Amino acid sequence: MQTFEPIFLSRLQHYLFCPRQFALIELEGVWAENQWTAEGQVLHKKVNQPDQQKRGAIRTAWALRLANEELGIEGIADVVEYHKQENGTEIPYPIEYKRGKPKTHRADEVQLCAQALCLEEMHGITVPDGALFYGEVRRRTAVVFDTELRNLTQETIAACRMIVQTKLTPKAIYKSKKCSRCSLIDQCHPKGFHKSAAAWLAEQIKED
Amino acid sequence: MRPLRNVIYIQTQNSWLHKDNDNLVLKVEKETKARVPIHKLQGLVCFGQVTISPYLMAHCAENGITITFLNMFGKYLARVEGPVSGNVLLRRTQHLTGHSIEKSVAIAQTMLTGKLYNQRYVIRRYCRDYGEQISDKNVLAQLQTAEKRLTRCLTQLSDCKGIDTLMGREGEAAQVYFGVFKHLIRQPDFEFDTRRRRPPTDPVNALLSFCYTLLTHDCRSALETTGLDPASGFLHQLRSGRPSLALDLAEEFRPMVDRFVLSLINRKQLFIKDFETLPNGSVTLKEEPRRTLLAAWQDRKQDTLLHPWFEETVPIGLLPWLQAQVLARFLRGDCDSYVPFLWK
């Protein structure tokens, strides 16, 4: 069996937001808070304490540690509900807490699907669906782990693994709307590093 | 520039920093002077007698806010950093890059480009500001010749294939530059003949040496904060105990220090009576005027100017930090060359 340095589940969505952001965090140990990350932390305060509870046919676990050794991923699920079936077995149902509202991109879904892949390996069963809980709308959005989402999740894991193995930070691509929301903009300097430094320097010296 | 606003520099002596809910509170003599939401910070840099509560320290460590302790002169003392750190990869790249002569020469060359460019700016700026007041046409001609010779040295830097030839060009430029330096001093009490370092034997050299030390310390702190190894340089040779990379990084800023020294003299912030000569002939600044100098140094750091590469206005005091970041980004392959700070 191949042994990997596990990739954290939460980093998958960093990769999907921006591969460079993933590399800055993973390879360079860069981290900075901003309004959005801080809000996310406040939201997670509720679900960060490991705990469990049984209510009717549902057993709920908070802050549950997950891993999939074959894929080389690990992390902590905010909430996993175990739904008791009529035949007496339990099917895990992961729920991930997110600030804001449902997104047009699939980063949140990928993170949730990766949790499902962990639960599948750990329990040896199929996990068909889960949910995202959005803080702003205070509602669950159901997510089905279909083939397409599973493929996207596996591709994302592979892409992250590539960055970890090559230890190369991808180049910055400046997009004003996206970059202004990124807490790492100050360490990334996406505006400064989009031009050729050598050419710029040569130009400056030639000028006078 | 946004990053730098998020770093708080605490220079007030006897400050007490603690945490109140999610705010950082700065107290001096039990009086609250500032209150900042902690999540807006990227780092804390404390100069001298600044005390921090253990709870604030832990909170910063947990949230990726680095606390750097420097003494009053800006000398690096210690850093408190949380568990996340990817610096090992950066340092490894830095050391591997240092092994390559070709790569070292390329970096050293850009750093000296910055130095010579900025030396020339000192002379240019003087001619622009005071050119009309120079009555001795011979002096003006000397300054203009020096400027032309510096331009030539500057363009020849790119032909250098080894550290020795680079050092040779740099030495040549230094001779030209310090050859006319006396003309930039407008207080007749202060004489300057040539740059003398070990030990300085006149007030101007004493001032230059003292301020270069402050500068090197600033550069060292900047490198430490960025995660680079200040001891592993590209231009300066490695020697145990020598902060070679800090000396490398300092090169491009030396001309700014020179102008700082000139303005202390020319604006009569320091006088010839502020210096004393020791038995071995070396000259030092007395204690009280040293305080004047440090206050002026800290003031100067607050002044802002345009960083031409980033096209953003930054405080002078943060230039070493910014350049250390540029160097780190270059080593990590973000750009095709290191870009020194060019003074315009």
Side-chain angles (χ1 to χ4, degrees):
Chain A
M1 199 184 88
Q2 229 176 328
T3 49
F4 293 123
E5 274 294 310
I7 290 166
F8 288 109
L9 294 170
S10 53
R11 301 269 162 89
L12 297 176
Q13 60 160 338
H14 292 147
Y15 177 88
L16 288 165
F17 176 74
C18 168
R20 182 173 165 89
Q21 191 198 54
F22 169 82
L24 287 173
I25 297 168
E26 184 73 36
L27 300 179
E28 306 190 16
V30 169
W31 184 246
E33 294 283 350
N34 69 8
Q35 184 198 333
W36 290 284
T37 60
E39 280 179 21
Q41 286 205 356
V42 171
L43 182 73
H44 275 84
K45 256 187 187 159
K46 283 183 244 180
V47 287
N48 273 352
Q49 280 301 321
D51 196 6
Q52 53 174 315
Q53 197 184 73
K54 197 168 185 322
R55 199 175 274 174
I58 296 176
R59 187 164 60 99
T60 309
W62 285 271
L64 197 63
R65 284 198 60 175
L66 303 177
N68 181 317
E69 286 194 26
E70 200 191 324
L71 291 171
I73 49 175
E74 70 169 37
I76 297 170
D78 289 336
V79 178
V80 179
E81 288 181 353
Y82 286 89
H83 295 193
K84 194 160 197 162
Q85 307 299 299
E86 289 186 355
N87 61 7
T89 58
E90 282 182 322
I91 292 184
Y93 186 85
I95 305 160
E96 176 67 16
Y97 278 54
K98 293 289 166 196
R99 59 162 300 284
K101 48 195 176 204
K103 321 280 191 324
T104 48
H105 59 74
R106 308 199 72 184
D108 295 342
E109 291 166 72
V110 164
Q111 188 184 348
L112 188 70
C113 180
Q115 292 177 6
L117 296 177
C118 293
L119 288 163
E120 288 184 347
E121 194 194 62
M122 294 168 96
H123 295 291
I125 49 166
T126 305
V127 178
D129 49 9
L132 292 160
F133 178 88
Y134 285 100
E136 209 167 286
V137 292
R138 308 206 59 79
R139 245 179 204 85
R140 283 185 185 184
T141 306
V143 177
V144 178
F145 306 127
D146 56 19
T147 315
E148 194 194 337
L149 181 57
R150 285 168 185 268
N151 287 343
L152 178 62
T153 306
Q154 301 229 18
E155 283 162 21
T156 307
I157 296 167
C160 288
R161 170 99 43 229
M162 189 63 107
I163 287 181
V164 174
Q165 281 173 350
T166 59
K167 295 188 171 40
L168 291 174
T169 306
K171 292 240 184 306
I173 298 164
Y174 181 68
K175 284 184 185 148
S176 65
K177 206 176 160 192
K178 194 159 99 170
C179 290
S180 67
R181 288 178 61 88
C182 176
S183 67
L184 304 187
I185 185 168
D186 306 337
Q187 285 96 331
C188 172
H189 294 296
K191 266 169 140 179
F193 293 104
H194 68 284
K195 51 196 169 193
S196 162
W200 183 85
L201 193 56
E203 189 64 30
Q204 299 304 309
I205 293 156
K206 214 170 62 187
E207 252 173 32
D208 23 43
Chain B
M1 173 150 294
R2 242 185 74 197
L4 310 171
R5 262 189 257 139
N6 295 344
V7 177
I8 293 195
Y9 292 80
I10 298 122
Q11 304 184 22
T12 311
Q13 297 304 290
N14 298 312
S15 301
W16 162 245
L17 294 171
H18 68 98
K19 179 175 172 280
D20 178 20
N21 287 321
D22 287 327
N23 289 308
L24 172 142
V25 180
L26 167 67
K27 280 184 181 152
V28 181
E29 307 275 326
K30 292 185 178 169
E31 195 186 326
T32 302
K33 296 283 185 190
R35 180 177 278 272
V36 194
I38 298 175
H39 73 266
K40 293 198 169 173
L41 299 180
Q42 186 189 314
L44 285 174
V45 180
C46 309
F47 289 83
Q49 198 62 40
V50 177
T51 322
I52 299 187
S53 87
Y55 295 101
L56 176 62
M57 226 181 252
H59 188 83
C60 287
E62 277 169 13
N63 291 281
I65 300 162
T66 304
I67 307 172
T68 310
F69 292 98
L70 310 176
N71 77 2
M72 254 188 82
F73 307 100
K75 183 187 174 188
Y76 176 81
L77 298 174
R79 184 172 64 217
V80 176
E81 202 174 43
V84 229
S85 179
N87 297 340
V88 62
L89 296 176
L90 175 63
R91 287 196 176 214
R92 183 153 186 226
T93 310
Q94 180 191 343
H95 294 146
L96 287 174
T97 307
H99 271 302
S100 154
I101 292 174
E102 202 183 320
K103 286 178 185 169
S104 297
V105 168
I107 297 171
Q109 186 226 316
T110 50
M111 286 170 158
L112 289 180
T113 298
K115 180 183 192 177
L116 268 56
Y117 190 100
N118 296 340
Q119 280 179 330
R120 189 180 65 178
Y121 178 81
V122 172
I123 295 172
R124 275 194 182 170
R125 181 75 191 263
Y126 189 87
C127 290
R128 196 175 80 198
D129 292 354
Y130 300 102
E132 286 173 6
Q133 294 172 33
I134 302 172
S135 50
D136 189 342
K137 289 293 162 245
N138 189 28
V139 168
L140 193 62
Q142 278 183 44
L143 289 173
Q144 284 161 346
T145 309
E147 197 204 297
K148 285 200 188 80
R149 287 181 63 191
L150 282 175
T151 302
R152 206 177 61 220
C153 291
L154 186 60
T155 50
Q156 285 169 342
L157 280 176
S158 54
D159 304 331
C160 298
K161 297 277 182 275
I163 295 290
D164 288 351
T165 43
L166 269 178
M167 284 295 221
R169 287 272 173 268
E170 190 253 349
E172 197 184 323
Q175 260 187 353
V176 171
Y177 176 74
F178 283 114
V180 295
F181 199 72
K182 60 176 180 281
H183 299 315
L184 311 182
I185 302 168
R186 286 177 293 112
Q187 298 304 328
D189 288 350
F190 285 87
E191 288 174 5
F192 182 84
D193 151 38
T194 184
R195 175 80 188 117
R196 257 185 263 277
R197 292 177 295 167
R198 297 189 190 100
T201 50
D202 60 85
V204 178
N205 271 302
L207 279 177
L208 288 173
S209 291
F210 182 69
C211 293
Y212 288 157
T213 310
L214 296 180
L215 170 67
T216 308
H217 286 150
D218 281 356
C219 289
R220 191 195 172 121
S221 302
L223 295 166
E224 289 274 8
T225 312
T226 311
L228 288 159
D229 179 355
S232 179
F234 301 104
L235 173 66
H236 289 85
Q237 288 191 353
L238 307 189
R239 192 201 281 174
S240 184
R242 185 205 312 226
S244 298
L245 189 63
L247 293 168
D248 286 2
L249 184 61
E251 291 293 352
E252 64 200 73
F253 299 115
R254 282 176 194 266
M256 304 184 86
V257 170
D258 300 338
R259 217 167 93 101
F260 171 74
V261 165
L262 286 170
S263 73
L264 284 176
I265 298 170
N266 289 340
R267 287 182 191 161
K268 298 186 181 172
Q269 285 170 282
L270 291 176
F271 301 90
I272 205 80
K273 65 173 171 53
D274 292 330
F275 297 84
E276 58 186 342
T277 308
L278 301 176
N280 66 351
S282 69
V283 173
T284 60
L285 191 58
K286 292 176 187 166
E287 200 187 319
E288 195 51 39
R290 184 175 288 195
R291 261 183 226 151
T292 312
L293 183 149
L294 286 173
W297 179 265
Q298 300 295 10
D299 280 352
R300 179 84 180 115
K301 283 189 187 176
Q302 311 292 332
D303 294 344
T304 58
L305 41 75
L306 185 81
H307 193 294
W309 162 257
F310 287 113
E311 295 173 2
E312 285 187 61
T313 305
V314 294
I316 286 175
L318 300 191
L319 285 173
W321 270 272
L322 205 49
Q323 290 306 121
Q325 274 199 324
V326 176
L327 182 58
R329 292 252 69 95
F330 163 66
L331 289 171
R332 286 187 147 130
D334 261 13
C335 47
D336 53 357
S337 167
Y338 170 69
V339 185
F341 170 71
L342 298 183
W343 204 6
K344 294 184 170 258

